[in-house]
Amino acid sequence: MGNTKERILAASAELFRRNGYTGTGLKQIVAEASAPFGSIYHFFPGGKEQLAEEVIRSSGMAYGKLFDLLIAPAPDLITGLEQAFAAAAVTLRETDYADACPIATVALEVASTNETLRRATAEVFESWIATGTGVFTRFGLSEDEARRLTIAVISALEGAFVLSRSLRDVEPLAIAGEAAVATAREMLTGRARG
């Protein structure tokens, strides 16, 4: 299952995603990672904050690739968006509403209390916006339209995750997906007319 540091990062990512930053303890992390307690401070001398920052950045990179994995290969933008929101709903259902976005979970907790982690989450969100903008321009949108759509899609997904987890229902994801598709259609129709 990888080396000790990788196991700690993987366990932390899952626990932060499910329980949040403050709801996850270091003892819980090492137990989940099957690692000695001292290994946390060996690999992360800055403790939990440094560990969380690395988890945010590595998880953020992994989740950012979903634009390229789920949307970019689609035959068109609409299909790509529909597939992405459908995949998110499947993940929530299959994990009993426990797995959503680890970045948003932590960002909601620390945005006004921990500047280091706030900056890390902001940088991840900016990288997602850049990636999404690049993918959406390949479907014919201008860079400005693609950026606006990316922000709308990320916002819709993150908000829908919160509602879906609370309600234990994927209806918010379905509605958010419909709204994202409607926005994309409007942008594409405007380009076709223009």
Side-chain angles (χ1 to χ4, degrees):
M1 180 178 169
N3 67 36
T4 303
K5 183 176 182 180
E6 290 171 353
R7 289 195 322 269
I8 291 170
L9 286 168
S12 299
E14 183 170 334
L15 290 167
F16 290 157
R17 183 174 59 245
R18 292 172 182 250
N19 305 328
Y21 177 72
T22 57
T24 300
L26 292 179
K27 288 181 181 176
Q28 193 179 12
I29 291 169
V30 294
E32 194 73 21
S34 299
F37 189 81
S39 60
I40 293 269
Y41 291 99
H42 172 74
F43 294 112
F44 308 98
K48 186 177 177 183
E49 181 178 85
Q50 181 185 357
L51 171 60
E53 184 178 10
E54 286 196 40
V55 166
I56 288 165
R57 293 183 191 289
S58 62
S59 295
M61 286 177 43
Y63 275 74
K65 292 177 183 175
L66 292 176
F67 280 102
D68 290 318
L69 294 171
L70 296 175
I71 299 173
D76 58 72
L77 180 56
I78 302 305
T79 302
L81 289 171
E82 289 170 342
Q83 290 172 349
F85 277 87
V90 168
T91 298
L92 276 182
R93 270 195 234 101
E94 287 179 350
T95 62
D96 196 28
Y97 298 89
D99 282 356
C101 175
I103 310 310
T105 302
V106 174
L108 285 169
E109 284 184 87
V110 302
S112 59
T113 59
N114 185 311
E115 184 59 17
T116 299
L117 299 183
R118 185 209 59 79
R119 268 194 320 270
T121 58
E123 289 169 16
V124 166
F125 286 133
E126 281 293 342
S127 74
W128 291 358
I129 292 167
T131 300
T133 299
V135 168
F136 293 163
T137 56
R138 286 180 258 167
F139 287 108
L141 296 179
S142 71
E143 191 165 331
D144 179 59
E145 290 169 324
R147 181 177 169 81
R148 287 178 42 238
L149 179 61
T150 302
I151 292 170
V153 165
I154 293 169
S155 299
L157 268 171
E158 298 300 355
F161 281 142
V162 170
L163 287 171
S164 289
R165 288 180 81 182
S166 295
L167 299 172
R168 300 187 69 71
D169 190 328
V170 294
E171 180 186 25
L173 270 170
I175 292 169
E178 290 168 6
V181 164
T183 301
R185 275 200 175 104
E186 184 179 309
M187 287 178 171
L188 292 168
T189 302
R191 296 209 54 78
R193 277 187 261 148

